[in-house]
Amino acid sequence: MKYVKLLLSLAVTAALIFALNNKFGQAPPLGKFLNPFDGFWQNAQNKDHLKSAPADVKLEGLKGKVQVIYDDRLVPHIFAENEEDLYFMQGYVTAQHRLWQMEFQTHAAAGRISEIVGKAAIDFDRGNRRKGMMFGAERAIAQMDTIPLAKMMLTNYAKGVNTYINSLNVKDLPIEYKLLDYQPEEWTPLKTALLLKYMANTLASGDDAIENTNALKLLGRETFDLLFPEYHPEQAPIVPTDGKWKFEPLKVSTPNVQFSDKFYHIMPLPKTEPGVGSNNWVVAGSKTASGNPILCDDPHLTLSLPSIWYEMQLVAPGVNVYGVTLPGAPNIIIGFNNDIAWGVTNAQRDLVDLYAIQYKDGLRNEYLLDGKWEKTIKRIEAIKVRGDKTYYDTVVYTHWGPVAYDATFHQDKQHSDLAMRWIAHDPSLELLTFYYLNRARNYQDYVHALSYYDCPAQNFAFAATNGDIAMHVQGKYPLKWHEQGKFILDGTTSASAWQGYIPDEQNVHILNPKRGYVSSANQHPSDTLYPYYVHATNFEYYRNRRINRLLDSMKSITPQMMMEMQNDNYNLKAAESLPYFLSQIDVNSLNTQQKAAYQLLQKWDFYNHADIEAPSYYEAWWDKLIPLVWDELTSNSIPYKRPDAFTTIKLLQTKPQHPIFDNKATAEVETAKEIIIKAFLQGIDSVNTWKQQNDNKMPLWADYKSTSIQHLARLAPFSVNNVRNGGNHNIVNATSERHGPSWRMVVELDKKGVRGWGIYPGGQSGNPGSPYYANMIENWRDGKHYELLFMQTPTQTAKNILFQQSFSN
Amino acid sequence: MFLIQIITLSVVCAIFQVLLPGNAVYVVATVSLVFGLIFGQKPFKAFMMGLLGIGLLWGSYAAWLDQMTDSILGVKVAAIFSLPNALILVFVTGLIGGLLGGFAALSGALFRQLVA
């Protein structure tokens, strides 16, 4: 009996040890996770934790002394005696606050999320590997390794990150590692390259060749061109053509190749989302109250926590720069120094082309090119899967690039082998752009810095204290004949290839325009007189025109006015569509509630403010209208894309009788009018449904829209939900449900001292247990900016300095 | 006497957890088992010593950390486990530590009975 008792007790103890040390399903190992000595409770911090950081720290690998001064938002101001130490400390400090994010994002880029979360992520991982993200990163690093300057930044940054990783106590491991039960690995320069590919994927992976090929097949050329025009004359491009471009364009010959003429039943890979975009503009001294140029930038990205940006000041001999960094990459990405400021928006351009491949046989060892069989290279992707066996995926590489889509991936009915040519596969040196921009003193320096910049293509706004303002639509842009890459290309002939690249000096750009400002908001780079073919999956038509109208009308501009403008909620799309929509409705046919909504909209001033109801009714109407109008382009097995908002509104107004407005699902023949009325009634229904689900609350726009800032691993309690803000897509304040201004910056280029204001929706710490995790969200929501502490010396006093640390070997 | 045993277990366990980070579960199990063995209490008493010694150690330390930080993280992690507040998570923390400590101490005591 005694034996039995003992054995039972030991068995229970052993079972507890096992259960508490291991992960079950989604649950972390409870003993490791909950024990207060090194489990998650240790990740909780208060403001005193930070202030008690040691004043002097020894770090092996530093050459000299580095001082890091933290201001009251936990922005580090790093003062180093040499550049090696500067990048070492950038890596160290960033890892201190954002280690888990840095690693998670690069794991995502490398297609390694299944390693952490299990088989649910296999498709995601396969997609990123089939896109050749790692292939691109490896080629980028091979190139960067040949440039001593790039190598210096990468290796010192990595050293700093690794020094931090190696100094980590179990208890200080970021909570996500504890929750998901894994360990950080060594940081390498390749991971920095992967992060840049991650950004390229976020910003420059837009492609609509599959959708366009299907739409052309379905609609025929005439309707296709009507629905998907390359350009509307109402557009306000980034650089309007004043007469002719003063350069001799390179010749692009149009080969006699046929576009693919069949339906593709392929589920396209995730790509740049429509909510991803940005605004930037610069006003020249002639338009400002002080006579100094003012630069403004707000990149719109998926709103996430930890935030995509980490704010920082970097100072060393030859450089003093302030701005935001991407955790995982050296240098300031958007910012200013004592002489210049720069900010970016995404340059819309089709930089992904798909080529239909013809294999010799099922072995996929050879493919047809110009009548000959060329050898393929196979890359076996071993995707480690947590709690399961490794998943092997063979990706075939042709000279075009990886065959992203084939019989094993994202297809059902038929199968097509499509190789992907993506600019992000090419070796490139963007790091040098940021190195030189951080140190640039004038327009020439800026142009030199941009000469290293390939991908993701960006509209670089520029301003200098000497009064210069500029905009360069910079990237590596393939020379394309008309419509090359808009549809799936024939991969059996080299005539389908890109014929070279647009020379940098022929990229769209402008210096000191007469109108006294430059601006960009993801619209067309230039008008149709620009001598090169420009295509993209989507172009903005509203934010840009609103920005230009405001800037045209403004005089004696102050930084405060610019900050307010970044929060402008005017819905130009509504202003251009709602009066027409309302005119289609017969008020007498409406019931009381519908009439009330109608009147609300009639009185609306088109501002998507947070605390009014009208925008909810308009947006609900719009959301119902689009699927009704474009019912032809909805299919479960064949992907299509819908025409953009501007084209849709224009067609509704100018061709209301067009057969495309007839809803095929109904017996009667509809025109634009019937569709608009139907959408109005359905829109009111969706607002009513929302009310029922929300305790009959008033459908105020902020609540109806409900912006959420989600944790990167989608952990709901680490997310911040219902951030009450106005705006929406196509509005200068581009805050939609999941996307929005990820960093708002305003910089006045005053010769007596450059001043900056900025804010982002998050906090400097990536730790959900830190008071600095989401501390800036409220002010961001309220449209406020912080005045940025741009220090000139480490001994400078300022009332908002929190604490400082000094590091040496 | 019993109270002193509980406190001693708590303190020794705390020291070893600090010295051997990352091994909380093994430390608690081993220290509790050894204490059960050394003290040679009746089985129920040994179990209670482990339950209270470790349970109070884990629970009160967690509660203190949570209190010091205004429950900034406790409340979020509680939500991950679908618990309404951090206090319940503190209780769960104490409970699992306590159960482990209790059964390990019980095993120690039973082993001693067997040998004796």
Side-chain angles (χ1 to χ4, degrees):
Chain A
M1 190 60 201
K2 279 180 180 173
Y3 282 105
V4 178
K5 273 190 187 165
L6 173 62
L7 284 177
L8 255 170
S9 175
L10 279 173
V12 172
T13 310
L16 277 170
I17 291 174
F18 182 79
L20 297 178
N21 263 337
N22 284 284
K23 192 171 186 282
F24 291 95
Q26 298 290 323
L30 285 178
K32 284 205 242 174
F33 184 72
L34 289 178
N35 94 78
F37 289 87
D38 40 41
F40 91 91
W41 295 104
Q42 287 286 343
N43 295 80
Q45 294 185 333
N46 57 31
K47 295 205 169 182
D48 296 331
H49 270 99
L50 291 155
K51 285 188 211 158
S52 63
D56 288 291
V57 182
K58 296 276 170 222
L59 287 185
E60 209 174 309
L62 283 178
K63 286 183 160 179
K65 188 177 153 193
V66 185
Q67 281 177 280
V68 183
I69 294 137
Y70 286 93
D71 66 30
D72 59 0
R73 286 184 298 120
L74 207 63
V75 176
H77 303 256
I78 301 179
F79 288 82
E81 291 170 346
N82 58 71
E83 293 192 331
E84 287 86 347
D85 285 356
L86 185 68
Y87 293 110
F88 180 105
M89 283 311 294
Q90 186 181 3
Y92 182 89
V93 168
T94 307
Q96 211 169 22
H97 294 131
R98 300 291 186 87
L99 176 63
W100 175 77
Q101 169 192 14
M102 291 164 72
E103 206 181 45
F104 190 77
Q105 288 175 339
T106 50
H107 269 50
R112 290 180 56 195
I113 296 299
S114 310
E115 255 174 68
I116 306 168
V117 305
K119 62 182 174 205
I122 291 179
D123 186 67
F124 173 85
D125 284 343
R126 286 185 73 194
N128 274 0
R129 290 176 190 235
R130 287 179 158 264
K131 270 184 188 169
M133 303 266 284
M134 181 60 97
F135 169 69
E138 283 167 357
R139 294 180 62 165
I141 217 69
Q143 164 95 340
M144 288 190 268
D145 268 347
T146 65
I147 312 282
L149 183 58
K151 204 171 174 180
M152 181 278 289
M153 289 189 272
L154 287 167
T155 50
N156 282 290
Y157 189 91
K159 263 193 231 168
V161 176
N162 289 325
T163 301
Y164 176 69
I165 293 175
N166 295 331
S167 74
L168 259 180
N169 294 317
V170 181
K171 68 181 172 71
D172 297 326
L173 201 62
I175 186 171
E176 290 90 347
Y177 289 107
K178 296 181 183 179
L179 202 52
L180 301 165
D181 192 32
Y182 72 112
Q183 294 287 324
E185 59 185 30
E186 190 191 2
W187 187 266
T188 59
L190 181 65
K191 285 182 184 274
T192 297
L194 275 167
L195 178 78
L196 298 174
K197 297 303 163 193
Y198 178 86
M199 292 312 293
N201 189 43
T202 302
L203 298 167
S205 62
D207 181 51
D208 50 7
I210 295 173
E211 294 89 334
N212 284 338
T213 305
N214 288 335
L216 182 63
K217 175 90 179 146
L218 178 82
L219 303 167
R221 184 44 95 162
E222 195 185 336
T223 311
F224 179 87
D225 284 346
L226 183 70
L227 267 47
F228 302 102
E230 298 277 9
Y231 191 87
H232 289 286
E234 297 87 342
Q235 178 63 301
I238 296 171
V239 179
T241 310
D242 296 324
K244 281 192 79 170
W245 288 86
K246 292 177 191 65
F247 59 78
E248 194 54 47
L250 298 180
K251 287 259 179 318
V252 185
S253 55
T254 307
N256 185 22
V257 289
Q258 295 297 310
F259 293 124
S260 206
D261 179 33
K262 67 170 192 176
F263 286 113
Y264 283 84
H265 298 248
I266 295 176
M267 188 177 90
L269 282 161
K271 52 196 168 199
T272 304
E273 297 171 53
V276 167
S278 313
N279 307 319
N280 65 10
W281 64 84
V282 189
V283 284
S286 59
K287 286 184 79 78
T288 65
S290 63
N292 302 316
I294 301 175
L295 178 139
C296 308
D297 186 23
D298 58 298
H300 314 148
L301 295 167
T302 303
L303 298 173
S304 59
L305 287 170
S307 176
I308 186 91
W309 302 109
Y310 181 71
E311 213 174 318
M312 195 173 248
Q313 182 176 358
L314 298 175
V315 192
V319 60
N320 181 1
V321 60
Y322 189 108
V324 284
T325 67
L326 290 168
N331 297 306
I332 300 287
I333 305 295
I334 297 171
F336 58 90
N337 59 31
N338 279 312
D339 301 291
I340 67 135
W342 75 99
V344 296
T345 67
N346 205 36
Q348 310 299 95
R349 197 78 66 108
D350 181 10
L351 301 170
V352 181
D353 283 353
L354 295 177
Y355 291 89
I357 297 296
Q358 204 179 310
Y359 287 125
K360 189 174 182 184
D361 49 42
L363 296 173
R364 303 187 295 172
N365 290 330
E366 288 171 275
Y367 66 103
L368 187 64
L369 185 71
D370 300 331
K372 284 187 286 210
W373 296 108
E374 294 286 331
K375 291 241 178 320
T376 61
I377 296 170
K378 286 179 181 164
R379 193 174 160 129
I380 304 199
E381 299 285 357
I383 304 173
K384 287 189 199 146
V385 184
R386 185 166 200 157
D388 227 313
K389 57 180 191 299
T390 300
Y391 185 100
Y392 291 96
D393 195 15
T394 306
V395 184
V396 179
Y397 280 72
T398 63
H399 81 290
W400 302 112
V403 181
Y405 302 98
D406 59 25
T408 70
F409 191 70
H410 284 197
Q411 327 202 2
D412 48 10
K413 286 203 175 94
Q414 23 106 308
H415 101 252
S416 313
D417 299 295
L418 299 181
M420 188 184 224
R421 174 75 182 95
W422 183 21
I423 209 81
H425 291 150
D426 295 6
S428 59
L429 291 167
E430 289 82 14
L431 272 189
L432 295 186
T433 299
F434 295 107
Y435 177 88
Y436 289 118
L437 271 180
N438 285 197
R439 290 154 180 80
R441 306 199 57 185
N442 51 42
Y443 178 70
Q444 286 71 30
D445 291 350
Y446 153 84
V447 172
H448 169 250
L450 293 193
S451 69
Y452 296 98
Y453 195 87
D454 289 347
C455 173
Q458 299 288 297
N459 305 311
F460 282 87
F462 168 87
T465 52
N466 72 3
D468 282 342
I469 68 167
M471 179 76 77
H472 277 236
V473 180
Q474 179 60 27
K476 184 179 175 186
Y477 302 115
L479 283 176
K480 291 188 174 187
W481 73 79
H482 186 69
E483 294 197 319
Q484 181 180 11
K486 186 172 174 179
F487 306 99
I488 291 168
L489 289 157
D490 179 359
T492 64
T493 163
S494 48
S496 300
W498 296 345
Q499 296 172 12
Y501 302 93
I502 299 175
D504 273 355
E505 63 276 12
Q506 298 187 1
N507 280 339
V508 174
H509 65 272
I510 192 155
L511 171 68
N512 298 327
K514 276 200 205 81
R515 60 182 177 177
Y517 67 88
V518 295
S519 74
S520 80
N522 320 108
Q523 75 269 42
H524 291 76
S526 189
D527 54 29
T528 50
L529 292 177
Y530 184 60
Y532 295 109
Y533 176 68
V534 173
H535 172 72
T537 48
N538 65 310
F539 284 112
E540 176 68 33
Y541 276 92
Y542 296 103
R543 279 183 283 120
N544 58 321
R545 288 187 297 137
R546 172 66 178 167
I547 289 166
N548 288 1
R549 276 183 206 179
L550 285 169
L551 293 178
D552 280 330
S553 70
M554 283 170 145
K555 278 187 297 221
S556 294
I557 294 171
T558 62
Q560 188 56 40
M561 288 161 76
M562 297 288 88
M563 291 181 231
E564 282 160 23
M565 190 172 143
Q566 287 187 326
N567 287 284
D568 175 58
N569 283 329
Y570 186 73
N571 190 337
L572 180 58
K573 183 176 96 181
E576 291 183 348
S577 60
L578 185 59
Y580 175 74
F581 291 174
L582 288 171
S583 74
Q584 303 301 304
I585 289 171
D586 176 12
V587 190
N588 296 322
S589 68
L590 303 177
N591 67 28
T592 323
Q593 199 219 353
Q594 290 159 350
K595 207 174 278 177
Y598 179 92
Q599 283 161 353
L600 204 62
L601 286 169
Q602 219 174 16
K603 279 184 267 171
W604 182 37
D605 60 2
F606 310 119
Y607 280 86
N608 273 35
H609 290 319
D611 289 308
I612 54 172
E613 290 178 87
S616 306
Y617 284 100
Y618 174 77
E619 301 290 351
W621 187 352
W622 179 260
D623 290 344
K624 289 293 176 190
L625 180 67
I626 291 300
L628 284 173
V629 172
W630 302 123
D631 60 318
E632 291 89 345
L633 298 174
T634 309
S635 154
N636 288 331
S637 59
I638 304 175
Y640 296 105
K641 71 168 195 176
R642 289 166 175 164
D644 60 40
F646 189 87
T647 308
T648 305
I649 292 167
K650 194 170 168 180
L651 287 172
L652 285 165
Q653 296 194 18
T654 58
K655 297 193 184 304
Q657 308 292 333
H658 197 281
I660 46 166
F661 295 122
D662 178 33
N663 191 321
K664 300 284 182 288
T666 60
E668 60 269 32
V669 176
E670 287 96 349
T671 64
K673 183 183 175 77
E674 282 79 35
I675 294 293
I676 289 168
I677 296 170
K678 200 172 189 176
F680 174 69
L681 300 176
Q682 287 185 4
I684 289 176
D685 286 344
S686 38
V687 175
N688 286 340
T689 312
W690 183 90
K691 279 203 254 181
Q692 280 162 18
Q693 289 161 349
N694 290 275
D695 312 322
N696 256 335
K697 235 177 13 184
M698 267 171 77
L700 301 177
W701 174 232
D703 299 317
Y704 188 76
K705 174 179 61 150
S706 189
T707 298
S708 64
I709 306 179
Q710 280 187 11
H711 182 262
L712 270 181
R714 308 275 157 86
L715 293 163
F718 294 169
S719 307
V720 177
N721 296 316
N722 201 19
V723 178
R724 301 195 75 261
N725 193 259
N728 204 8
H729 305 290
N730 307 115
I731 295 177
V732 176
N733 172 18
T735 312
S736 59
E737 287 160 66
R738 294 282 298 108
H739 297 89
S742 60
W743 164 241
R744 289 191 177 115
M745 181 178 83
V746 173
V747 182
E748 179 170 11
L749 282 300
D750 188 342
K751 278 197 183 79
K752 295 192 286 290
V754 175
R755 286 183 302 155
W757 294 263
I759 192 165
Y760 67 82
Q764 287 287 89
S765 172
N767 174 10
S770 164
Y772 299 95
Y773 175 67
N775 57 315
M776 295 195 269
I777 291 180
E778 273 183 30
N779 279 334
W780 176 87
R781 174 197 69 195
D782 297 341
K784 293 178 187 157
H785 294 61
Y786 296 102
E787 178 154 12
L788 308 174
L789 176 63
F790 185 35
M791 300 178 76
Q792 296 302 318
T793 64
T795 50
Q796 182 181 332
T797 52
K799 61 178 188 312
N800 55 340
I801 287 175
L802 198 64
F803 68 102
Q804 56 177 309
Q805 287 184 289
S806 151
F807 298 85
S808 58
N809 195 337
Chain B
M1 188 58 199
F2 183 55
L3 192 65
I4 292 172
Q5 288 175 346
I6 291 172
I7 293 170
T8 321
L9 173 64
S10 282
V11 171
V12 173
C13 204
I15 292 169
F16 276 101
Q17 284 203 64
V18 172
L19 292 177
L20 299 166
N23 296 295
V25 172
Y26 296 117
V27 168
V28 165
T30 313
V31 173
S32 303
L33 190 133
V34 170
F35 269 59
L37 204 66
I38 295 170
F39 290 147
Q41 302 130 318
K42 294 238 166 65
F44 179 71
K45 215 171 173 188
F47 179 79
M48 288 310 289
M49 172 186 70
L51 181 76
L52 294 173
I54 307 299
L56 289 174
L57 173 68
W58 280 27
S60 55
Y61 190 19
W64 185 74
L65 290 172
D66 196 50
Q67 178 69 31
M68 290 298 289
T69 56
D70 291 330
S71 197
I72 190 169
L73 192 56
V75 67
K76 291 175 188 157
V77 173
I80 288 181
F81 290 101
S82 306
L83 299 174
N85 58 52
L87 198 66
I88 295 181
L89 195 61
V90 165
F91 179 76
V92 172
T93 300
L95 184 70
I96 64 158
L99 285 175
L100 178 64
F103 279 102
L106 174 66
S107 304
L110 289 172
F111 188 70
R112 176 154 169 161
Q113 273 191 358
L114 196 71
V115 180

